[in-house]
Amino acid sequence: MELPQMPELMGLSLLLGLLALMATAAVARGWLRAEEEICSRSAGQKANGFPLDKSLKSKKQKQQQRIRKEKPQQHNFTHRLLAAALKSHSGDISCMDFSSNGKYLATCADDRTIRIWSTKDFLQREHRSMRANVELDHATLVRFSPDCRAFIVWLASGDTLRVFKMTKREDGGYTFTATPEDFPKKHKAPVINIGIADTGKFIMTASNDTTILIWNLKGQVLSTINTNQMNNIHAAISPCSRFVASCGFTPDVKVWEVCFGKKGDFQEVVRAFELKGHSAAVHFFAFSNDSRRMASVSKDGTWKLWDTDVEYKKQQDPYLLRTGRFEEASTMPCRLALSPDAQVLALASGSSIHLYNTRRGEKEECFEQVHGECITDLSFDITGRLLASCGDRAVRLFHNTPGHRAVVEEMQGLLKRASNESTRQRLQQQLTQAQEALKSLGALKK
């Protein structure tokens, strides 16, 4: 056999070597591509929250925990009539209550605490408060006892009443102690309001079905009221402690009398009277301090002021004194507060508050976006000089300028009819005080 010549062998060798190099390069490129894909997947996993190892996972968990612990930014609000903002709660405030002696304001929030504020500090730079802890639960409603030595709360998870006693310490502060046993569970639906009669004779709880319970102070149910309103929206005890009223799906407010004997023993609950005049469901109502006036706001877009100082046992109906328009009530739930003298009506819808003069039916003040959430409670203090609202983690207090203007109008009218000098001097003094208050707030009308 004839062997190939030397040049042909060299060419074949070179060709085979070149093919080997190309194969090696292809393998290398494939290996590099595979490595890049692995790195890319790893980076993607890390970006999507799946760390590659325990140390990275632990680091991410710590970052998430830090984010959770950061408090949401406090809602900022300013207004020329803002008197103070109380900001010690770390959770949203659901309810508040002024003590009957005017010294304290109680607030409850979902941070498992009750705060007791000193009202004399409201116009100071520092706002002191005392804290009562709610163990393993939080309160949604709070009410002072008539003697201001205790308060009751409604527990969110426990669905029952708990009583806290207030014991004064030597340093002037208080110790808050929950009673050993809570009230028994009786309601079958969420509770919308609670109250204690100023006489101290009974406690009221109302749920959003059609049930109102009347309790004694020992936790025994004295009577059950069926409101027959399809559902209850609001219920309350009158300041005079004679009546319990409720509103709901029907276009009226129903009022019952809670009757006790001369020896203080409970007798019965009887129907007293109704506020009839609205054409749609009633959102809310309130009593004046002497229980002789009531105000209501309805889904029909109106508010009404009533004279309830009537002889209902002789079938006398309450008198309608004033009707005003409030269009917001036709599209969203509303709350209201009536000043102690019934001269000013405060209406809250969403996070805004509107103040009306009840004698003329005119809107005098409006506070927009007062809170970061919808307003959950609204109340005048017992003097009527301040209006308090809550709806996030703060309570905001406003000067009641419409109240001062109402006093000016009333005193000017009485002065014209005053018959003796001593009466004129007394009326003039009250007039001057109201005018000075308006002047200091920059709200005196010329």
Side-chain angles (χ1 to χ4, degrees):
M1 185 174 72
E2 186 177 355
L3 296 173
Q5 296 181 4
M6 186 63 66
E8 293 176 350
L9 289 172
M10 291 177 65
L12 183 60
S13 300
L14 289 172
L15 180 60
L16 293 172
L18 182 61
L19 290 171
L21 288 172
M22 291 174 64
T24 303
V27 171
R29 281 198 300 272
W31 180 81
L32 289 171
R33 191 178 298 113
E35 285 290 310
E36 289 174 356
E37 289 177 357
I38 292 172
C39 291
S40 177
R41 283 197 301 269
S42 299
Q45 288 175 340
K46 184 176 180 181
N48 286 294
F50 298 96
L52 295 176
D53 55 49
K54 291 182 179 180
S55 62
L56 290 174
K57 184 177 179 180
S58 176
K59 184 177 181 181
K60 181 144 190 172
Q61 286 177 339
K62 290 179 180 179
Q63 289 175 343
Q64 290 175 341
Q65 288 173 355
R66 281 198 298 270
I67 292 172
R68 282 197 297 267
K69 288 180 180 178
E70 289 179 0
K71 295 180 180 179
Q73 187 174 359
Q74 182 77 285
H75 177 74
N76 292 320
F77 173 82
T78 57
H79 194 278
R80 61 184 177 82
L81 296 180
L82 181 66
L86 315 179
K87 298 182 178 180
S88 292
H89 277 291
S90 61
D92 288 341
I93 303 169
S94 57
C95 184
M96 58 189 176
D97 188 47
F98 284 99
S99 62
S100 59
N101 61 10
K103 293 182 178 181
Y104 304 109
L105 172 68
T107 56
C108 64
D110 59 13
D111 58 8
R112 296 186 174 183
T113 68
I114 312 294
R115 292 274 177 178
I116 308 297
W117 309 82
S118 174
T119 58
K120 68 179 182 179
D121 295 336
F122 283 173
L123 302 183
Q124 306 299 321
R125 294 187 63 180
E126 298 294 329
H127 306 121
R128 295 179 297 171
S129 68
M130 299 172 286
R131 185 181 71 187
N133 296 318
V134 182
E135 298 294 335
L136 305 175
D137 210 330
H138 73 271
T140 58
L141 298 162
V142 60
R143 295 287 179 261
F144 274 109
S145 64
D147 61 7
C148 307
R149 296 178 181 177
F151 57 85
I152 61 172
V153 300
W154 186 261
L155 301 178
S157 300
D159 290 325
T160 187
L161 279 174
R162 179 171 293 174
V163 180
F164 284 82
K165 293 184 178 180
M166 301 170 57
T167 306
K168 196 163 188 176
R169 303 193 305 261
E170 292 183 0
D171 61 1
Y174 282 89
T175 300
F176 306 102
T177 308
T179 53
E181 294 185 4
D182 298 331
F183 276 36
K185 296 182 181 180
K186 295 292 184 179
H187 283 282
K188 297 180 180 179
V191 165
I192 56 173
N193 201 18
I194 61 176
I196 308 179
D198 279 356
T199 56
K201 291 181 178 180
F202 69 93
I203 291 173
M204 178 218 71
T205 58
S207 52
N208 68 359
D209 47 13
T210 61
T211 305
I212 296 176
L213 297 181
I214 305 299
W215 310 70
N216 64 16
L217 301 187
K218 296 179 180 179
Q220 298 170 329
V221 176
L222 301 175
S223 181
T224 300
I225 303 172
N226 183 357
T227 63
N228 294 311
Q229 293 174 314
M230 292 186 66
N231 68 294
N232 298 329
I233 297 176
H234 179 58
I237 302 174
S238 64
C240 67
S241 300
R242 289 179 61 190
F243 306 113
V244 168
S246 77
C247 64
F249 183 79
T250 58
D252 49 21
V253 179
K254 298 181 179 180
V255 183
W256 293 264
E257 183 180 7
V258 183
C259 302
F260 288 83
K262 293 182 179 180
K263 296 182 179 180
D265 54 314
F266 172 76
Q267 293 183 332
E268 60 180 343
V269 176
V270 297
R271 192 72 163 267
F273 55 86
E274 295 181 6
L275 306 182
K276 295 182 178 181
H278 287 293
S279 59
V282 177
H283 289 304
F284 216 84
F285 65 86
F287 291 90
S288 63
N289 194 49
D290 59 7
S291 303
R292 297 171 63 184
R293 298 287 186 272
M294 288 183 69
S296 57
V297 61
S298 167
K299 196 175 180 180
D300 63 13
T302 67
W303 60 264
K304 295 181 182 295
L305 181 70
W306 311 81
D307 179 354
T308 53
D309 187 20
V310 296
E311 296 185 61
Y312 58 89
K313 292 182 180 180
K314 296 181 179 180
Q315 309 305 313
Q316 189 176 10
D317 294 324
Y319 298 103
L320 178 61
L321 299 175
R322 177 76 60 185
T323 297
R325 295 296 304 174
F326 187 62
E327 297 297 339
E328 289 86 342
S330 61
T331 58
M332 65 177 71
C334 299
R335 303 183 70 90
L336 68 79
L338 187 61
S339 63
D341 59 5
Q343 298 274 26
V344 181
L345 178 67
L347 291 164
S349 61
S351 60
S352 299
I353 301 172
H354 309 259
L355 298 183
Y356 288 80
N357 179 302
T358 59
R359 297 179 69 182
R360 290 181 276 102
E362 297 175 0
K363 184 192 292 188
E364 293 201 11
E365 300 289 351
C366 182
F367 310 123
E368 300 283 352
Q369 297 181 342
V370 177
H371 296 279
E373 305 289 341
C374 289
I375 292 170
T376 55
D377 208 354
L378 190 68
S379 178
F380 286 93
D381 74 334
I382 65 169
T383 68
R385 296 175 182 173
L386 295 174
L387 173 69
S389 69
C390 60
D392 43 29
R393 292 182 288 125
V395 173
R396 289 191 164 81
L397 298 148
F398 296 90
H399 293 286
N400 180 18
T401 52
H404 292 303
R405 294 192 192 107
V407 171
V408 170
E409 293 174 12
E410 184 179 15
M411 294 303 107
Q412 287 175 338
L414 292 174
L415 271 171
K416 293 177 181 179
R417 300 190 297 271
S419 57
N420 58 69
E421 186 60 28
S422 61
T423 301
R424 289 183 59 83
Q425 289 180 354
R426 177 175 54 82
L427 294 174
Q428 184 61 53
Q429 184 180 7
Q430 291 177 282
L431 174 61
T432 302
Q433 289 175 346
Q435 289 174 330
E436 288 296 326
L438 288 169
K439 185 178 179 180
S440 66
L441 297 171
L444 182 63
K445 293 183 178 180
K446 296 181 180 179

